[in-house]
Amino acid sequence: MKRVSITVPIVMAVMMAVTMPVNAKEEKIESGIYINDMDLSGMTTAEAKDMVKEYVDSFGGAEITLNAVDGGTIVTTASELGLKWGNETVLDEAAHFGHDGDILRCYKELKDLQYRNKVYTVNFDFDKNKIRTLIEENAQQYNQEAVNATLTKTENGFEITEGQPGIMVDTAASVDAVYDYLTNGWNGTSCSIDLVVAVQEPAGSAEDLAKVKDVLGTFSTSYSTSGGARSANVANGCSLINGTTLYPGDEFSAYEAVAPFTEANGYYMAGSYLNGQVVDSLGGGICQVSTTLYNAVLLSELEVTERYNHSMIVTYVSPSADAAIAESSGKDFKFKNNTGYPIYIEGSTTSDKQITFTIYGVETRDSSREIAFESVVLEKTVPDTEIIYTDASMPVGYCSVQSAHIGYKAQLWKVVRENGVEISREQINSSSYMKAPRSATVGIATTDEGAYNAIMAAVATNSVDEVKAVAGAYKAAADAAAAQAAADAAAAQAAADAAAQPAPPAEQPAPPEQ
């Protein structure tokens, strides 16, 4: 009789019974399955996920110290760097172990669990953006910027100050280094990680700066008609630029050099242009500084990268030879050192109110080369009206007059001559200046109806001279009344003081002679 083996069918039937789900309930993780030292036996996937996440979060308070430059440290925690579970897919593997795939494989996996546990490993992950933000916001305070070699002009010539290298945190490399350590070598405890630093070499050397001896261009303007506040602003702005050393390729911003326009930075209230009028502002007059420097730069044949003309014409240079800077409008004067050598900017002012900028460098131009700049006026517009403004906050008698400004359209041309012969003529810029009529701002505040009517009648004439005359008469009367009132008050006070003095003692009779 033949013997028929039924072992394989029976085994397969058993295995199928084992692997097929019962009802629609979520399968439980098999016994003997761990993630790290966490036993997942009999848990649902959701239960296991919660437990592992709680485990990962438990390391969030671990202190992580980032070592920056020169002993500087940035102290944070794992949670602040975005600590999270980095390999959540391992939970799917654990949940499906012994359940998915080939029947024979599942059978083998389940049999293996009877003899040894299946252990998966948790991987930590972090947020690179949070690491980058932390380093960017905190490492800079420890950076040591390179100090470039510089020049200082003295009575005996130039003195050279050697530069010093800097040490800077390399942000990109540091982010990668911190992330790599935390995701591959961190054990969940407090740790210290060195940031990546780079040496920043200073620009220039004593050898380079020793070559700077030649005057490339110099220019002066006068501010002799300026009042004390404007004169102080011009001198202050000049001093802030004086002593600047620029290396080949460096760009200079006049605005950045002289800003901010604050009292703490040495500025006073003085007249400046705003919307076709002259108004007082901190730093008024600073544009004469940038304009004087502009002309020295042109004569040095440096590369002008940004320049704006004033809204209205100025008197200290020809039309189109100015360079305005303004915080409110974003105007700036910028130029680049396009020579192959360092340059030095010397700025000075004199007691007779002359401002001068001289640019030193290495002269490489032919000695026969001469440069001149010509201002060409294309159009001139003279205002033919006058404007009267009333100011209810000022008393009758107040009158402030602003002169008219002629409108211009102009160009600046660069003329080059060699051995006295013109070889080129190039337009450098074009400028348009608005016209502004002569104007007066007159006070109308008064309780005297007659005075109010008189000043308003003068305003109706639209004549600055008429308004000025009427306001002047009321101011003279007000000044006289104030002077009389002051004299009367002084006399009354003197009388009161005299009355308050004690009476002199009565005269005593002379004693008899002895």
Side-chain angles (χ1 to χ4, degrees):
M1 178 183 292
K2 293 183 177 180
R3 299 180 62 186
V4 179
S5 175
I6 60 171
T7 305
V8 172
I10 292 173
V11 170
M12 293 188 66
V14 171
M15 291 169 55
M16 290 176 66
V18 169
T19 58
M20 291 180 64
V22 178
N23 298 326
K25 294 182 179 179
E26 183 179 357
E27 291 181 350
K28 302 294 182 70
I29 298 173
E30 293 293 334
S31 296
I33 295 180
Y34 288 75
I35 292 183
N36 281 24
D37 58 355
M38 292 171 281
D39 186 357
L40 309 186
S41 301
M43 289 185 175
T44 64
T45 303
E47 291 170 340
K49 185 175 184 179
D50 289 343
M51 182 172 68
V52 177
K53 281 194 170 183
E54 185 178 350
Y55 168 79
V56 172
D57 291 344
S58 69
F59 296 97
E63 189 173 271
I64 297 172
T65 302
L66 307 182
N67 301 315
V69 172
D70 196 28
T73 59
I74 305 169
V75 181
T76 185
T77 62
S79 62
E80 290 174 343
L81 296 181
L83 171 65
K84 58 185 175 180
W85 184 5
N87 60 333
E88 289 191 33
T89 55
V90 75
L91 184 57
D92 291 332
E93 294 181 31
H96 295 140
F97 189 85
H99 293 277
D100 285 358
D102 180 83
I103 293 174
L104 288 175
R105 191 187 73 182
C106 289
Y107 175 75
K108 183 179 184 305
E109 288 176 347
L110 293 173
K111 292 297 287 183
D112 288 344
L113 283 176
Q114 297 176 11
Y115 300 102
R116 66 175 178 273
N117 296 328
K118 176 65 176 176
V119 181
Y120 294 93
T121 302
V122 169
N123 291 339
F124 296 123
D125 196 11
F126 291 82
D127 188 329
K128 269 194 169 185
N129 288 329
K130 289 186 177 181
I131 297 173
R132 180 178 294 103
T133 299
L134 181 75
I135 294 174
E136 288 176 343
E137 293 181 351
N138 295 277
Q140 186 176 1
Q141 61 182 312
Y142 302 114
N143 288 342
Q144 298 174 6
E145 296 274 356
V147 178
N148 295 335
T150 58
L151 286 168
T152 303
K153 191 169 185 298
T154 68
E155 294 180 356
N156 299 320
F158 285 108
E159 292 182 356
I160 298 172
T161 303
E162 287 281 10
Q164 295 181 353
I167 304 176
M168 316 284 289
V169 169
D170 185 330
T171 300
S174 294
V175 170
D176 290 340
V178 172
Y179 182 79
D180 182 67
Y181 179 87
L182 292 176
T183 55
N184 293 305
W186 185 53
N187 61 5
T189 61
S190 297
C191 65
S192 179
I193 308 170
D194 291 334
L195 298 181
V196 180
V197 298
V199 175
Q200 183 185 53
E201 295 297 333
S205 65
E207 183 181 0
D208 294 331
L209 296 178
K211 300 174 183 177
V212 177
K213 298 177 181 178
D214 304 319
V215 173
L216 303 182
T218 185
F219 194 82
S220 300
T221 62
S222 171
Y223 55 101
S224 59
T225 59
S226 298
R230 187 181 186 279
S231 298
N233 289 340
V234 171
N236 183 55
C238 181
S239 68
L240 292 173
I241 294 174
N242 177 48
T244 299
T245 302
L246 296 178
Y247 287 92
D250 284 353
E251 185 177 49
F252 177 85
S253 162
Y255 174 80
E256 291 179 2
V258 301
F261 300 119
T262 61
E263 292 180 356
N265 200 30
Y267 291 108
Y268 298 88
M269 296 292 289
S272 60
Y273 290 158
L274 179 65
N275 298 325
Q277 287 191 296
V278 178
V279 299
D280 279 348
S281 65
L282 277 169
I286 194 65
C287 289
Q288 185 161 356
V289 176
S290 56
T291 291
T292 308
L293 179 60
Y294 174 55
N295 284 269
V297 165
L298 291 177
L299 291 168
S300 303
E301 296 190 87
L302 302 176
E303 180 186 352
V304 175
T305 55
E306 187 173 340
R307 173 262 173 190
Y308 299 90
N309 59 271
H310 287 75
S311 59
M312 297 187 296
I313 201 72
V314 296
T315 58
Y316 42 84
V317 290
S318 301
S320 230
D322 60 321
I325 59 175
E327 185 173 26
S328 59
S329 60
K331 289 182 178 180
D332 197 358
F333 166 52
K334 296 180 181 180
F335 68 91
K336 186 179 292 185
N337 177 7
N338 58 338
T339 75
Y341 302 92
I343 61 172
Y344 177 85
I345 304 173
E346 179 187 36
S348 62
T349 56
T350 61
S351 58
D352 60 348
K353 297 186 179 181
Q354 290 277 327
I355 175 174
T356 301
F357 279 108
T358 303
I359 298 176
Y360 294 86
V362 177
E363 184 60 84
T364 58
R365 297 170 292 186
D366 192 276
S367 60
S368 66
R369 181 183 177 90
E370 297 177 4
I371 303 167
F373 291 87
E374 296 181 1
S375 171
V376 178
V377 175
L378 305 176
E379 184 178 312
K380 185 177 179 181
T381 308
V382 179
D384 54 4
T385 60
E386 295 184 336
I387 297 179
I388 312 297
Y389 302 98
T390 58
D391 188 344
S393 68
M394 300 299 291
V396 167
Y398 169 82
C399 185
S400 174
V401 178
Q402 293 194 11
S403 301
H405 283 77
I406 298 173
Y408 287 90
K409 287 186 178 179
Q411 295 175 342
L412 191 68
W413 288 76
K414 176 182 178 180
V415 181
V416 179
R417 296 180 176 87
E418 289 185 359
N419 296 314
V421 178
E422 183 177 316
I423 62 169
S424 68
R425 180 176 288 266
E426 173 190 5
Q427 182 181 333
I428 297 301
N429 68 45
S430 61
S431 305
S432 181
Y433 304 91
M434 65 184 293
K435 67 177 181 179
R438 186 182 182 214
S439 66
T441 300
V442 60
I444 60 172
T446 182
T447 57
D448 184 339
E449 184 176 353
Y452 177 82
N453 290 335
I455 200 69
M456 292 306 294
V459 170
T461 67
N462 242 359
S463 168
V464 170
D465 289 335
E466 179 66 19
V467 167
K468 186 177 178 182
V470 173
Y474 277 103
K475 184 175 188 306
D479 289 347
Q484 184 60 51
D488 292 345
Q493 184 63 47
D497 291 344
Q501 292 292 328
E507 186 174 342
Q508 299 295 321
E513 292 184 1
Q514 299 295 324

PDB file of all heavy atoms in Angstrom, residues 421-432:
ATOM      1  N   VAL A 421      45.884 118.805 -27.020  1.00  0.00           N
ATOM      2  CA  VAL A 421      44.974 118.522 -28.119  1.00  0.00           C
ATOM      3  C   VAL A 421      43.820 117.662 -27.610  1.00  0.00           C
ATOM      4  O   VAL A 421      44.052 116.617 -26.968  1.00  0.00           O
ATOM      5  CB  VAL A 421      45.698 117.799 -29.277  1.00  0.00           C
ATOM      6  CG1 VAL A 421      44.711 117.467 -30.405  1.00  0.00           C
ATOM      7  CG2 VAL A 421      46.846 118.643 -29.787  1.00  0.00           C
ATOM      8  N   GLU A 422      42.589 118.097 -27.869  1.00  0.00           N
ATOM      9  CA  GLU A 422      41.428 117.330 -27.426  1.00  0.00           C
ATOM     10  C   GLU A 422      41.345 116.011 -28.180  1.00  0.00           C
ATOM     11  O   GLU A 422      41.352 115.981 -29.418  1.00  0.00           O
ATOM     12  CB  GLU A 422      40.149 118.137 -27.660  1.00  0.00           C
ATOM     13  CG  GLU A 422      38.889 117.422 -27.159  1.00  0.00           C
ATOM     14  CD  GLU A 422      37.625 118.267 -27.317  1.00  0.00           C
ATOM     15  OE1 GLU A 422      37.685 119.477 -27.003  1.00  0.00           O
ATOM     16  OE2 GLU A 422      36.597 117.706 -27.751  1.00  0.00           O
ATOM     17  N   ILE A 423      41.270 114.908 -27.429  1.00  0.00           N
ATOM     18  CA  ILE A 423      41.198 113.592 -28.071  1.00  0.00           C
ATOM     19  C   ILE A 423      39.864 112.893 -27.833  1.00  0.00           C
ATOM     20  O   ILE A 423      39.521 111.943 -28.534  1.00  0.00           O
ATOM     21  CB  ILE A 423      42.339 112.677 -27.583  1.00  0.00           C
ATOM     22  CG1 ILE A 423      42.210 112.431 -26.070  1.00  0.00           C
ATOM     23  CG2 ILE A 423      43.691 113.235 -27.943  1.00  0.00           C
ATOM     24  CD1 ILE A 423      43.134 111.336 -25.562  1.00  0.00           C
ATOM     25  N   SER A 424      39.090 113.376 -26.837  1.00  0.00           N
ATOM     26  CA  SER A 424      37.779 112.772 -26.619  1.00  0.00           C
ATOM     27  C   SER A 424      36.884 113.736 -25.857  1.00  0.00           C
ATOM     28  O   SER A 424      37.350 114.598 -25.113  1.00  0.00           O
ATOM     29  CB  SER A 424      37.895 111.448 -25.851  1.00  0.00           C
ATOM     30  OG  SER A 424      38.321 111.662 -24.522  1.00  0.00           O
ATOM     31  N   ARG A 425      35.572 113.561 -26.059  1.00  0.00           N
ATOM     32  CA  ARG A 425      34.553 114.352 -25.369  1.00  0.00           C
ATOM     33  C   ARG A 425      33.394 113.395 -25.088  1.00  0.00           C
ATOM     34  O   ARG A 425      32.778 112.861 -26.002  1.00  0.00           O
ATOM     35  CB  ARG A 425      34.119 115.529 -26.223  1.00  0.00           C
ATOM     36  CG  ARG A 425      33.056 116.422 -25.577  1.00  0.00           C
ATOM     37  CD  ARG A 425      32.780 117.616 -26.468  1.00  0.00           C
ATOM     38  NE  ARG A 425      33.901 118.564 -26.442  1.00  0.00           N
ATOM     39  CZ  ARG A 425      33.973 119.611 -25.646  1.00  0.00           C
ATOM     40  NH1 ARG A 425      32.968 119.874 -24.810  1.00  0.00           N
ATOM     41  NH2 ARG A 425      35.006 120.413 -25.676  1.00  0.00           N
ATOM     42  N   GLU A 426      33.105 113.175 -23.803  1.00  0.00           N
ATOM     43  CA  GLU A 426      32.127 112.157 -23.400  1.00  0.00           C
ATOM     44  C   GLU A 426      31.127 112.741 -22.410  1.00  0.00           C
ATOM     45  O   GLU A 426      31.510 113.434 -21.466  1.00  0.00           O
ATOM     46  CB  GLU A 426      32.867 110.977 -22.751  1.00  0.00           C
ATOM     47  CG  GLU A 426      31.980 109.922 -22.140  1.00  0.00           C
ATOM     48  CD  GLU A 426      32.747 108.919 -21.306  1.00  0.00           C
ATOM     49  OE1 GLU A 426      33.968 109.104 -21.118  1.00  0.00           O
ATOM     50  OE2 GLU A 426      32.117 107.958 -20.836  1.00  0.00           O
ATOM     51  N   GLN A 427      29.830 112.465 -22.643  1.00  0.00           N
ATOM     52  CA  GLN A 427      28.815 112.927 -21.699  1.00  0.00           C
ATOM     53  C   GLN A 427      28.842 112.039 -20.464  1.00  0.00           C
ATOM     54  O   GLN A 427      28.762 110.822 -20.540  1.00  0.00           O
ATOM     55  CB  GLN A 427      27.421 112.878 -22.330  1.00  0.00           C
ATOM     56  CG  GLN A 427      26.338 113.400 -21.388  1.00  0.00           C
ATOM     57  CD  GLN A 427      24.945 113.323 -21.995  1.00  0.00           C
ATOM     58  OE1 GLN A 427      24.796 113.364 -23.212  1.00  0.00           O
ATOM     59  NE2 GLN A 427      23.936 113.192 -21.151  1.00  0.00           N
ATOM     60  N   ILE A 428      28.935 112.670 -19.296  1.00  0.00           N
ATOM     61  CA  ILE A 428      29.028 111.947 -18.033  1.00  0.00           C
ATOM     62  C   ILE A 428      27.657 111.759 -17.403  1.00  0.00           C
ATOM     63  O   ILE A 428      27.329 110.704 -16.869  1.00  0.00           O
ATOM     64  CB  ILE A 428      29.959 112.688 -17.048  1.00  0.00           C
ATOM     65  CG1 ILE A 428      31.369 112.741 -17.617  1.00  0.00           C
ATOM     66  CG2 ILE A 428      29.964 111.996 -15.690  1.00  0.00           C
ATOM     67  CD1 ILE A 428      31.981 111.385 -17.899  1.00  0.00           C
ATOM     68  N   ASN A 429      26.831 112.793 -17.423  1.00  0.00           N
ATOM     69  CA  ASN A 429      25.499 112.683 -16.841  1.00  0.00           C
ATOM     70  C   ASN A 429      24.579 113.718 -17.448  1.00  0.00           C
ATOM     71  O   ASN A 429      25.018 114.602 -18.213  1.00  0.00           O
ATOM     72  CB  ASN A 429      25.550 112.807 -15.313  1.00  0.00           C
ATOM     73  CG  ASN A 429      25.950 114.207 -14.847  1.00  0.00           C
ATOM     74  OD1 ASN A 429      25.460 115.203 -15.355  1.00  0.00           O
ATOM     75  ND2 ASN A 429      26.840 114.283 -13.861  1.00  0.00           N
ATOM     76  N   SER A 430      23.321 113.623 -17.102  1.00  0.00           N
ATOM     77  CA  SER A 430      22.341 114.655 -17.435  1.00  0.00           C
ATOM     78  C   SER A 430      21.508 114.908 -16.184  1.00  0.00           C
ATOM     79  O   SER A 430      21.268 113.992 -15.397  1.00  0.00           O
ATOM     80  CB  SER A 430      21.450 114.240 -18.600  1.00  0.00           C
ATOM     81  OG  SER A 430      20.722 113.074 -18.267  1.00  0.00           O
ATOM     82  N   SER A 431      21.080 116.158 -15.998  1.00  0.00           N
ATOM     83  CA  SER A 431      20.377 116.528 -14.774  1.00  0.00           C
ATOM     84  C   SER A 431      19.214 117.447 -15.101  1.00  0.00           C
ATOM     85  O   SER A 431      19.282 118.249 -16.033  1.00  0.00           O
ATOM     86  CB  SER A 431      21.324 117.230 -13.795  1.00  0.00           C
ATOM     87  OG  SER A 431      22.462 116.443 -13.524  1.00  0.00           O
ATOM     88  N   SER A 432      18.159 117.308 -14.312  1.00  0.00           N
ATOM     89  CA  SER A 432      16.996 118.169 -14.454  1.00  0.00           C
ATOM     90  C   SER A 432      16.657 118.736 -13.078  1.00  0.00           C
ATOM     91  O   SER A 432      16.441 117.984 -12.121  1.00  0.00           O
ATOM     92  CB  SER A 432      15.812 117.374 -15.016  1.00  0.00           C
ATOM     93  OG  SER A 432      14.683 118.207 -15.171  1.00  0.00           O
TER      94      SER A 432
END
